[in-house]
Amino acid sequence: MMRFYIMTLFPEMVMGCLNTSITGRAMAKGILSVEAVNIRDYAFNKHNSVDDYPYGGGAGMLMQAEPVYQAYEAVRERIRTGGAHISEAEEVQEKKRPRVVYLSPQGRTFNQRMAEEFAEEEELILLCGHYEGIDERVLEEIVTDYVSIGDYVLTGGELPAMIMVDAIARLVPGVLHNDVSAEFESFQDSLLEYPQYSRPEVWHDKRVPDILLSGHHANVEKWRREQSVIRTARLRPDLLEKAELTEVEKALAEEERKNYEEKTKFSVE
Ligand code: ADE
């Protein structure tokens, strides 16, 4: 069971999303647990406010250090006492600091390799900032990883946190129906996935490629691999640097890249 704790000012936003579909099913099956921790519950003044003006002036408000810290301490306590019975060996384990990811455009850009690494953790704390950010001092004390989901600025860390949970959760054994399906797809070998088809055989005058109807497994696999190489060469040639290709595949990729560039010369980039 992998446990996610999302520290946020908008718990309904994250839970509404993650309770749905595949992550929701995995939670119901007990393979995954996602808890949203409302930072506002740890406000320390009677107005329940958790933000204040930045010293030195400037636009906007900052989330204050103390409510974030108290919420973090509460999550740590929950992690420590989460299991019904804790053995001595586990007790030692429990003392280790959980990883705390702060979602921020200043972080390392999230990718599949990072998703795989995070999927090894027993629990993961995701900290979502709002307003103009969070008082630096609490970040220094609790954050272990700074992660961005891309070079653009969002209004808060909630959407990025949901994206991370989704990408990581689907790598946890049992979350997907078909355990092999997480292995053979985009980015695994730095290649994009091949095109797929389902019934009917003909749709809008387009036929499913004959080879897929042939029942010849080895030929199907060969075709799919070629299609992956072709697609990657066309759409994401930057990925090919990391892909392990045979000489024949390299030639195919180069050919495709050239032809495709020729055809799409006028597209935006
Ligand atoms: N918060 C605001 N923008 C973000 C981004 N691009 N990635 C992660 N967290 C963010």
Side-chain angles (χ1 to χ4, degrees):
M1 153 99 92
M2 180 160 185
R3 297 176 186 276
F4 293 93
Y5 298 89
I6 304 179
M7 296 168 56
T8 171
L9 291 173
F10 301 96
E12 336 70 58
M13 179 176 173
V14 264
M15 292 316 290
C17 164
L18 294 171
N19 272 327
T20 313
S21 187
I22 293 178
T23 44
R25 191 187 63 205
M27 284 158 74
K29 281 203 286 185
I31 307 167
L32 208 68
S33 124
V34 182
E35 268 184 63
V37 179
N38 193 344
I39 295 169
R40 198 172 299 281
D41 290 346
Y42 300 89
F44 55 100
N45 58 31
K46 56 179 183 299
H47 306 292
N48 260 357
S49 76
V50 289
D51 59 326
D52 207 337
Y53 296 99
Y55 280 117
M61 305 285 271
L62 277 187
M63 281 166 71
Q64 291 167 286
E66 187 62 12
V68 173
Y69 189 70
Q70 290 303 328
Y72 165 75
E73 286 286 292
V75 171
R76 278 192 71 182
E77 186 57 19
R78 199 114 95 235
I79 291 171
R80 211 183 61 73
T81 57
H85 173 76
I86 303 175
S87 72
E88 244 174 71
E90 279 163 349
E91 187 81 64
V92 174
Q93 168 86 0
E94 297 295 329
K95 294 232 167 67
K96 97 178 187 286
R97 245 162 67 108
R99 275 176 100 167
V100 180
V101 176
Y102 178 49
L103 285 313
S104 154
Q106 298 182 6
R108 265 199 305 156
T109 311
F110 190 55
N111 61 24
Q112 192 64 23
R113 201 167 14 82
M114 286 158 78
E116 282 159 21
E117 187 197 310
F118 284 124
E120 303 287 316
E121 300 290 326
E122 291 271 293
E123 66 266 319
L124 199 59
I125 303 177
L126 300 160
L127 172 59
C128 305
H130 248 273
Y131 312 115
E132 294 304 307
I134 303 182
D135 189 308
E136 190 68 20
R137 293 167 295 184
V138 69
L139 298 178
E140 281 170 10
E141 277 196 27
I142 71 173
V143 173
T144 59
D145 300 84
Y146 291 78
V147 177
S148 163
I149 59 155
D151 287 342
Y152 39 82
V153 182
L154 302 167
T155 55
E158 283 74 14
L159 287 167
M162 290 185 250
I163 286 170
M164 279 191 71
V165 172
D166 193 280
I168 295 164
R170 64 188 288 293
L171 300 174
V172 173
V175 169
L176 296 184
H177 269 315
N178 175 2
D179 264 356
V180 288
S181 65
E183 280 171 36
F184 296 99
E185 63 195 343
S186 293
F187 300 114
Q188 210 67 30
D189 315 311
S190 292
L191 289 177
L192 301 183
E193 213 178 359
Y194 46 79
Q196 305 222 64
Y197 304 86
S198 182
R199 284 195 291 184
E201 257 180 61
V202 182
W203 181 83
H204 283 202
D205 290 339
K206 294 171 195 280
R207 287 197 64 77
V208 172
D210 281 339
I211 201 152
L212 299 179
L213 308 172
S214 69
H216 194 300
H217 190 65
N219 284 351
V220 168
E221 286 310 306
K222 181 167 176 287
W223 181 86
R224 286 180 166 167
R225 172 84 186 178
E226 278 169 13
Q227 292 297 315
S228 283
V229 172
I230 290 171
R231 285 226 146 161
T232 314
R234 286 182 179 178
L235 303 175
R236 289 294 308 277
D238 57 302
L239 291 178
L240 286 174
E241 277 166 38
K242 289 202 207 110
E244 282 183 32
L245 301 184
T246 64
E247 289 307 313
V248 176
E249 286 171 341
K250 278 183 197 161
L252 174 65
E254 180 57 19
E255 181 71 15
E256 278 301 320
R257 198 181 54 74
K258 271 200 253 149
N259 290 345
Y260 200 66
E261 261 175 22
E262 192 63 31
K263 267 197 280 183
T264 55
K265 242 191 218 153
F266 303 108
S267 69
V268 190
E269 172 65 10

